[in-house]
Amino acid sequence: MKLGILGFGKMGEAIAQGLKLSQVSQGIEVLGATRSHHNAAEISRRLNIKCHTDNGKLIAESDIVLLCVKPHQAEPLLRSVAQKFQKRHLLISICASITTDQLSKWSGNRASIIRAMPNTPCLIGQGMTVFCPGPRAKEKDLSVAQEIFGTLGETAIVEESLMDGVTGLSGCGPAYAYLIIEALSDAGVKMGLSRSAATLMAAQTLAGSAQMVLKRGVHPAALKDEVTTPAGCTIDGLMALEEGKLRVTLIKAVVAAAKRSKNLRSPE
Ligand SMILES: NC(=O)c1ccc[n+]([C@@H]2O[C@H](COP(=O)([O-])OP(=O)(O)OC[C@H]3O[C@@H](n4cnc5c(N)ncnc54)[C@H](OP(=O)(O)O)[C@@H]3O)[C@@H](O)[C@H]2O)c1
């Protein structure tokens, strides 16, 4: 199975790197395409994969095409190579806000279409990728997409109407998490810890807590209660967070990013 990554920027590279690191991906040959010869040569050297500068060639050689360009670049690119897409192709787009109907139309209405929203921790096999099926996508296409992105972390399937919300939550979410880690690290520095010790403590605390939620399958509020001793230290920390409106601020962040994802879409 040949997987052609069309657009080799941050996400394209994260996915290619993640696939290379995973054991499961041995049956998948990864190819790439990017605009400049210099970048193509650099990618080939770094990742030891074939990288084209001719997008049509990449599509002709691939079974699955993974579209990893910026949202505004998707339409001109797909229209310019639409005649290369055949019925046998599966087109998976990771472009925020671009709908499956737009992808289908721009690519000539022949390929099976899946819209996906991965995130950057795919680079280390800890990603979250959410899919929705589009025109002509069958169960087996979704299974293939899950197999590919399953090598890079967790996967889930939702209805397309929820994809802007997914973008605001798990697509953009790593940035929110980094901000929280940075702020906790600053707090450690304020308390006299070295920067490196404080960052380790902050990051591992978030990683460990996330694993507790995932592995124990308990509501986060119940886990919070486990840490919170009556009249102890944690409840004072929680009160400060409530005063600073942490919860509503995080909810507003997801809503704002989802709104932006919706607004990025040009009307049909
Ligand atoms: N960043 C995230 O965390 C994240 C998370 C989930 C989804 N996404 C989605 O992932 C997509 C890519 O984001 P990114 O951050 O990886 O963007 P990026 O770093 O700007 O990468 C885009 C790449 O596409 C290439 N490209 C543009 N037009 C092309 C063309 N006509 N032919 C071939 N290659 C072309 C660019 O090449 P040049 O270098 O030559 O311009 C660049 O390497 C976006 O649609 C975004 O919505 C991003």
Side-chain angles (χ1 to χ4, degrees):
M1 185 165 53
K2 290 193 177 182
L3 173 72
I5 299 183
L6 192 43
F8 225 97
K10 288 182 286 299
M11 285 308 289
E13 172 132 13
I15 293 165
Q17 292 273 19
L19 278 168
K20 259 182 81 85
L21 291 176
S22 82
Q23 299 295 311
V24 196
S25 62
Q26 277 162 5
I28 303 171
E29 186 187 339
V30 179
L31 317 168
T34 193
R35 276 192 292 209
S36 88
H37 288 281
H38 176 265
N39 287 351
E42 180 55 28
I43 290 160
S44 289
R45 189 192 59 75
R46 215 171 46 241
L47 292 168
N48 196 22
I49 61 170
K50 196 183 211 182
C51 192
H52 291 286
T53 47
D54 180 335
N55 296 329
K57 266 191 191 158
L58 178 88
I59 296 166
E61 273 183 36
S62 304
D63 307 298
I64 302 166
V65 176
L66 195 58
L67 184 67
C68 299
V69 296
K70 290 281 186 207
H72 72 273
Q73 297 166 327
E75 179 173 5
L77 194 166
L78 288 178
R79 287 194 188 280
S80 73
V81 289
Q83 74 287 359
K84 299 282 179 188
F85 280 102
Q86 304 302 328
K87 272 185 173 171
R88 67 177 180 85
H89 282 112
L90 170 59
L91 171 62
I92 305 175
S93 160
I94 67 160
C95 299
S97 100
I98 306 288
T99 66
T100 58
D101 280 346
Q102 288 176 313
L103 294 162
S104 180
K105 191 167 104 187
W106 300 340
S107 62
N109 291 316
R110 285 182 296 278
S112 306
I113 310 288
I114 289 179
R115 177 173 165 193
M117 180 47 58
N119 62 15
T120 48
C122 283
L123 181 57
I124 56 161
Q126 295 291 326
M128 178 73 229
T129 306
V130 183
F131 303 102
C132 68
R136 296 169 294 283
K138 296 163 210 72
E139 278 300 320
K140 80 168 173 32
D141 297 319
L142 277 173
S143 303
V144 168
Q146 281 190 294
E147 196 185 323
I148 293 167
F149 284 94
T151 65
L152 311 174
E154 293 290 333
T155 60
I157 298 174
V158 300
E159 282 173 25
E160 185 151 19
S161 60
L162 296 172
M163 286 300 275
D164 290 321
V166 166
T167 304
L169 176 53
S170 56
C172 306
Y176 315 152
Y178 300 138
L179 203 74
I180 293 169
I181 291 169
E182 188 195 6
L184 289 173
S185 171
D186 281 350
V189 170
K190 171 77 181 159
M191 301 312 293
L193 293 164
S194 71
R195 172 62 70 186
S196 59
T199 302
L200 172 67
M201 288 175 212
Q204 179 56 27
T205 300
L206 255 74
S209 308
Q211 285 304 316
M212 288 283 278
V213 175
L214 292 171
K215 295 213 164 117
R216 286 184 54 192
V218 175
H219 193 289
L223 292 169
K224 178 207 72 184
D225 286 354
E226 278 181 19
V227 193
T228 313
T229 316
C233 312
T234 308
I235 191 66
D236 282 17
L238 288 171
M239 272 174 61
L241 291 177
E242 294 294 2
E243 206 170 28
K245 299 190 173 19
L246 178 76
R247 275 194 239 223
V248 75
T249 305
L250 286 172
I251 295 168
K252 281 182 177 172
V254 174
V255 172
K259 193 170 160 198
R260 175 69 181 143
S261 167
K262 193 168 176 222
N263 290 346
L264 274 179
R265 203 157 33 242
S266 49
E268 289 276 5

